[in-house]
Amino acid sequence: MARIWMLGDNVNTDVIIPGRYNVTTDRAQLARYCLCEVLPEFSQQVQVGDVVMTGHNFGCGSSREHAPAALQACGVQVIIARSFARIFYRNAVNIGLPVLICEEAVVASADGQEIEVDLASGVIRNTTTGQTFQSQALDPFVARIVAAGGIIEYIRQEGTLR
Amino acid sequence: MGTLVEEIFSYKLGRAVEQGETVVVNVDRVMSHDTTTPLAIQAFRKLTRQDGGRVFDAKRSHIVFDHIIPAATIAAATLHRDIRTFAQEQDITILQEGICHQVMPERGYVIPGDIIVGADSHTCTYGALGAFGTGMGSTDIGVAYATGRAWFRIPQTINVRLEGRLAPGVYTKDVTFEVVRHLGVDGANYRAIEYTGGLVEQISVSERFTLCNMAIEMGGKAGLVAPDATTREWLRGRTDREYPMLAPRNPGYERVVVIDASQLQPLIACPPDVNNVVPVEEVEHVKIDQVFLGTCTNGRLDDLEIAANILRGRTISPQTRMVVIPASREVYLEAMRLGYLEIFARAGASVGTPGCGPCIGRHFGVLAPGERALTTMNRNFTGRMGDPTSEIYLGSPATVAATALTGHITDPRYFL
Ligand code: SF4
């Protein structure tokens, strides 16, 4: 069972990982300071497989890939948002951190509830309330990158970027 | 046929492209800076392990040290050292003469029709010269260093038409705030913004940089101005490459927003979101602990000139402090020659090395708990400049200079 960590709208990359702490590529360091200013308990309590849910425009602000990398390093399984900021979305896809867009699931869920997500079909089940949701289908090109597990793996498989 | 963005991609690909299409293109240049390069190198290494690992073209790969220069901590110095090793191995010249988005155009690396990807969200600034510049994360940039290629979804475009002349004391920065107020912080998400109209034709390339720089503050993928005589003039002496004077032809804009800039007054973007925009008079009582003039938004010569004209022969309030960071060495030297740096120093400001300065709270004027800054930056996220509780207000260079004199947010028109 995975827990839902619920965040609000317009969560920017400075909130996900403050600029002061991204002078590193060390994933343990990034995980330690992930969301440290808004949810100080997050990095301590998050379990591998947990789900972050959030409102509109998640990951707005700087292009720092440290933001999705920090969430990934914390063990977050998938981020479900009403909408994502473009660069964050792209970065997450590229590093193989699953991201789903599902307005209804976010509106109908609350922090601390239990959830199951089938990444292949995009079906989300809130096991606390028993409700099921279908997330938005991916762009076909993006779907190929996600299926490969990130853009590096995608290029390795294809031999080039095409 | 199409928007300026469609025209640029059609020109590059040699066939007509359309909005919504996903394309892979050869990019003209790839850029990353001291904070984002290490992760880009990781991605690059993962990808090129098998084939000796050379960048696609060392002359079109640019690494800029600007975010923490000179190194403020041992961690930063170590990052710089590791990046230098990579740059040497790849024959890449590291640029250490100012903010990436200022230095790239100054050196003639950005011309109309170019497609440039940078590991920094404000890469959209290059649209001011009629190029398609967009910010990406380090993995995309590592891939671009290795392959010279990137994938794009051709965005829908919002046309923002700016008309009218600006009243005294009102600047392009204030117009930019008005656009963000109008569209909202995700109003241009996944989209490009093309600026047109009488005001855009009148303003300088420097002001167009200010305008396009903040496209990302609305989630924009790019902000663009079609090249014109002003662009040509600015590029003279900076490049001898030929470039196409691309323009939108029968563009299918998603929407058109018209703003009459002659009605605007000086504006302030209050914390914590950039669309939290109010007329300066509504926040004039707010006490300010530090003002900061600089950044890729407003650290150019004309910005420094506006502030210097207000500060000439005056001293800043003892209630506040002022930091001035020219955007590049070129700006620094020109400002020195014209006496602006002396005006700032005599007024009591700290004048620093060209670069990002305190913009991301790493050095050169960080904020204490509960402190407030008024800056010419593009972002006012709480805590960006220091302690998590410190706040940032955004304004024009004139409003920042006027505020330095009083110690509280001040309408620049008192000092004109
Ligand atoms: S000046 Fe500020 S916004 Fe511009 S590139 Fe540097 S850190 Fe980013």
Side-chain angles (χ1 to χ4, degrees), chain B residues 165-198:
Chain B
R165 279 180 179 278
L166 298 178
V170 182
Y171 301 89
T172 301
K173 184 65 169 295
D174 300 298
V175 180
T176 312
F177 289 145
E178 177 63 13
V179 177
V180 182
R181 191 188 67 76
H182 200 98
L183 291 180
V185 290
D186 61 352
N189 200 11
Y190 295 96
R191 291 162 176 75
I193 301 175
E194 290 181 18
Y195 288 102
T196 60

Side-chain angles (χ1 to χ4, degrees), chain A residues 62 64, chain B residues 31 33 35 66-67 99-102 120-123 125 213 217 292 294-298 327 355-362 377-379 384:
Chain A
S62 89
R64 68 186 66 142
Chain B
M31 187 278 293
H33 55 62
T35 308
D66 55 359
H67 277 58
I99 306 167
C100 49
H101 307 310
Q102 182 64 19
D120 188 275
S121 60
H122 291 103
T123 307
T125 310
N213 176 267
E217 268 54 70
F292 168 37
T295 77
C296 54
T297 321
N298 280 125
C356 300
C359 188
I360 38 163
R362 295 247 181 82
M377 286 149 52
N378 42 39
R379 292 197 174 130
R384 180 174 166 95

Side-chain angles (χ1 to χ4, degrees), chain B residues 43-58:
Chain B
F44 175 87
R45 296 260 191 246
K46 271 196 220 156
L47 197 57
T48 57
R49 243 185 357 225
Q50 297 97 334
D51 57 4
R54 302 300 297 175
V55 293
F56 80 108
D57 181 350

Side-chain angles (χ1 to χ4, degrees), chain B residues 223-240:
Chain B
L224 301 97
V225 174
D228 61 5
T230 308
T231 320
R232 268 198 182 289
E233 185 53 38
W234 194 88
L235 285 168
R236 184 164 307 151
R238 296 187 190 273
T239 182
D240 45 22

Side-chain angles (χ1 to χ4, degrees), chain A residues 10 12-15 18-26 30 37 56-57 60-66 69 83-87 89-91 93-95 101 139 141-142 145 151-153 155-156 160-162, chain B residues 22 24 35-36 38-39 42-43 46-47 49-50 68 75-76 79 119-121 134-140 143 147 149-153 185-186 189-190 216 219-221 360-362 379 381 383-384 386 388:
Chain A
N10 299 320
N12 65 61
T13 53
D14 279 78
V15 166
R20 295 186 299 292
Y21 300 124
N22 75 357
V23 194
T24 179
T25 56
D26 175 17
L30 292 175
E37 282 160 16
H56 283 295
N57 204 24
C60 58
S62 89
S63 69
R64 68 186 66 142
E65 202 164 292
H66 309 76
S83 68
F84 288 93
R86 180 188 67 87
I87 302 177
Y89 183 82
R90 195 176 168 113
N91 286 344
V93 167
N94 281 339
I95 65 170
I101 298 174
D139 170 270
F141 188 77
V142 170
I145 298 175
I151 194 157
I152 303 279
E153 291 71 18
I155 295 174
R156 285 226 187 100
T160 176
L161 180 61
R162 66 165 164 237
Chain B
T22 303
V24 174
T35 308
T36 51
L39 277 180
Q42 277 189 2
K46 271 196 220 156
L47 197 57
R49 243 185 357 225
Q50 297 97 334
I68 335 170
L79 281 192
D120 188 275
S121 60
T134 196
M136 292 183 173
S138 298
T139 297
D140 269 316
V143 166
T147 63
R149 293 154 83 78
W151 64 273
F152 300 88
R153 191 140 180 256
V185 290
D186 61 352
N189 200 11
Y190 295 96
I216 184 67
K221 189 169 200 166
I360 38 163
R362 295 247 181 82
R379 292 197 174 130
F381 303 157
R384 180 174 166 95

Side-chain angles (χ1 to χ4, degrees), chain B residues 233-276:
Chain B
E233 185 53 38
W234 194 88
L235 285 168
R236 184 164 307 151
R238 296 187 190 273
T239 182
D240 45 22
R241 288 185 292 151
E242 298 280 322
Y243 49 85
M245 297 296 276
L246 297 174
R249 289 185 303 150
N250 267 334
Y253 290 126
E254 185 187 47
R255 58 195 275 225
V256 179
V257 173
V258 183
I259 292 173
D260 178 4
S262 59
Q263 301 301 316
L264 295 178
Q265 352 171 12
L267 298 173
I268 298 282
C270 302
D273 291 307
V274 186
N275 65 339
N276 205 358

